[in-house]
Amino acid sequence: MAKGTPKPDELSRIDYTPPQKEWMDTPVKLKPGMYCWGAKAKNLQAVGFPNARDWTPADEDWKLPENWEWTVLEGIYDRLKKYRSFQLFLDICVRCGACADKCHFYIGSGDPKNMPVLRAELLRSVYRRHFTFGGKLLGRIAGARKLTLDVLKEWWYYFFQCTECRRCSVFCPYGIDQAEITMMGRELLNLLGLNIDWIQGPVANCYKKGNHLGLEPHTIMSNIEFMLDDIESITGIRIEPSFNRKGAEILFVTPSGDLFADPGTYTCMGYLMLFHELGLDYTWSTYASEGGNFGFFTTNEMAKRLNAKIYAEAKRLGVKWILGGECGHMWRVVHQYMDTWNGPADFLEEPVSPITGTKFENAKTTKMVHIAEFTADLIRHGKLNLDPSRNDHLKVTFHDSCNTSRGMGIFEEPRYIIKNVCNNFYEMPENTIREKTFCCGSGSGLNAGENMELRMRGGLPRANAVKYVHEKYGVNMLANICAIDRAALSTLMDYWVPGVGVTGVHELVANALVMKGEKKRTTNLRGEPLPGVEEEEEEGKEEKEEQGG
Amino acid sequence: MRALFSFIVVIALVAIVFVGVKGANLEFLFGVIIPYAALATFIIGFIYRVVKWGRSPVPFHIPTTCGQQKTLPWIKDSKIENPSTTAGVIARMALEVLVFRSLFRNLKTDLREGPRLAYGSDKWLWLAGLAFHWSFLIIAFRHLRFFMQDVPVVVQWVEGLDSFLQIGAPLLYITDVIIITAVTYLFLRRVYIPQVRYISLAADYFPLFLILGIAISGVLMRYFIKVHVVGVKELAMGLVSFNPTIPEGIGVIFYIHLFLICVLFAYFPFSKLMHMGGVFLSPTRNLANNSRMVRHVNPWNYPVKVHTYEEYEEEFREKMKMAGLPVEKE
Ligand code: SF4
Ligand code: SF4
């Protein structure tokens, strides 16, 4: 935990009373722990972003280019013409407040500017002043204000306190999606080189090296090699996956986070074991080695530039279709943007499961299938030999990731899988799951270390629902299908609900998967003894002692 | 402050008609010219706004999905909350527009000791919103009787239903009671809920006061300060037949009522009230979640600079070869 992060009991004293002063008269104060470091010059340069320079948000001087106001206003004008969502959402909000207490950042911080409606007003007020007749004429009384440096700083602070989770848009009577406005706000900020380095660093990495973490080709292979060693010592089976192999049937793409740190690596081992067991004709790619897309948190154009690699690589390798791993924003992008940006993928074929023959008609143009869809289909057809009792020490609940929930709607597939590989599954309260799910608090590139207070505040509603099932049913494992979740929720659980672990769904699958020719497993993928094994060992020892005595 | 400002503006509007009609005999201005001008502003403005929205394209397929997607045949998809077909979208939009589906989801978040977060159902806003919009619609519909020589039966039915309680003379319309109650509630929640007060602008109070003014003047006219109804109908018929007349002795309260309606019409296209048209265009609601099945085309999609595989291999060729990875160029 970062230094200076308040303790849970201190942090949970939240005051929801708005200040006496009107919000336009409350200038932004950058509170340490609530924001991230500014994007470094070299990372901005790497992708040709404007105004590349080192800068510090806490400094008075943000080293803005001359005429920056003009750049921003022009940027707004441009986007109003390009995005109906932006134009419409700026125009039709009635400030009914239905979205207000739906945002996890508002719930966790009580800061009124974290109410989605007010977050939008931060930008809407400037739009009124500079782009509407009433706003120009009446000014303040029409809710209009000029674009000033203070306003710009406020945008930066609050557009990086929104995880683009879309929860607000579920509740808004007109579907106003603050995520859209945040995206536009961040695009505008990027015109001035005002990103955060936790996003810009991975973007630069991904552009040059193919993944957010900047893993070079041989490192990717050696990371996977480590996992293969572990798998061998647990199952006795040596797996030999292929990389950049031409002519494979399927290209597999997953977020690079799965290659790097646990518990993501266990999920990755899960994929490897599953594919091996199926004898799947697939390949990894070191060039398209990132499913996630931090470019999505900068500009639409950058997101497209990073995403282009997936189709390009599929084409180069001559695969038939693409299978995608467990990730949240990756799937928002794949599901709602990829084909539009970089399609049509007419060089690929409509995905068909080589094991079950199922046609994935839902992916017939994008040609990319979610691994939960793929695995659920396998289980349904009885293609996997599963022993759920190996997960009997776990009481599992499932966290719906924002992006796959509200930007796709994949609810049943992961649940179906979990229920087939675990015997103990409990849902969190209804208002905190599925389309009403709460964000991990660290999405959209906000999973840095320096903004830990923000993350713990934003994660409070999610954590609180986990705590509920933890106390009620003894839930000790939080499953999810997102790489950011695996990293972020671990920290969140340690902070709010110690004693609850975090896992990807395919880790659970692999633990339950009885592989052909495997030796008797004594531990799970984490190296912890399997349920029942400890007692057996104990008994074995006693027997020996008896025999000896 | 902002509420007060809006209140004063509405009072001023009332004062203007009062003085105009009583003092300056401007019946023709308020009874003919302004209604025509207001209606023209409404129609032109409304179309202008919708066309303006329509001209910005929808570059990406971004429905907010509120239920299970359509995937494998044995998984039951949520056909309305996460529609994959046009019929589903129509149903979703119909629910949204007719019964305010999304607002019906509303919850109230409560932070208790522990900390323990609780989410209680909170349907008041939904109920008041629904009551307000529907009674407004019914009242507007009832008014058709003033614009047609022979009152159509449907209008008579609606009137009959609306007054089925059979209280008082003239019979009390339930919608009159409902609209005043609902608008009052909507106003009070704006003032009393601190968060809502904090975000409210003059532009949020103004339409409330205006509509309240319209409703109250209407009620006064019907039940208390009698106006010359035949004259009103004559005036209305004159307007629709483009043969305007100003009958004598209608009463100033009518002009107040009419003028406030005119202000509402003229103000409409410039305000948040345009949500009436906007909701139909909302891309998070009016698109089917089929973006992996049917390709969505962005009209302004343009080529971007990417880091190609060739450039990548160029940089890492030696390392790739050492690791045993296949390369394109030796
Ligand atoms: S719910 Fe929608 S209309 Fe209501 S305040 Fe929020 S964004 Fe505006
Ligand atoms: S998208 Fe999520 S984080 Fe952003 S304002 Fe809406 S609810 Fe809050």
Side-chain angles (χ1 to χ4, degrees), chain B residues 143-176:
Chain B
H143 278 64
L144 284 180
R145 73 149 43 249
F146 292 101
F147 298 97
M148 293 180 192
Q149 209 49 272
D150 309 307
V151 182
V153 250
V154 238
V155 176
Q156 293 178 14
W157 284 346
V158 170
E159 285 173 346
L161 271 178
D162 200 355
S163 56
F164 87 103
L165 288 181
Q166 304 279 334
I167 303 173
L171 289 180
L172 176 76
Y173 285 133
I174 305 155
T175 46
D176 286 352

Side-chain angles (χ1 to χ4, degrees), chain B residues 13 45 77 95 143 146 149 190 256 270 324:
Chain B
L13 291 171
D77 61 319
L95 285 180
H143 278 64
F146 292 101
Q149 209 49 272
R190 260 200 201 284
I256 293 176
F270 303 99

Side-chain angles (χ1 to χ4, degrees), chain A residues 92-100 117 124 168 171-174 176, chain B residues 199:
Chain A
I92 62 171
C93 171
V94 298
R95 283 162 299 281
C96 67
C99 57
V117 45
R124 201 177 274 131
C168 45
F171 292 90
C172 173
Y174 320 120
I176 295 177
Chain B
I199 57 175

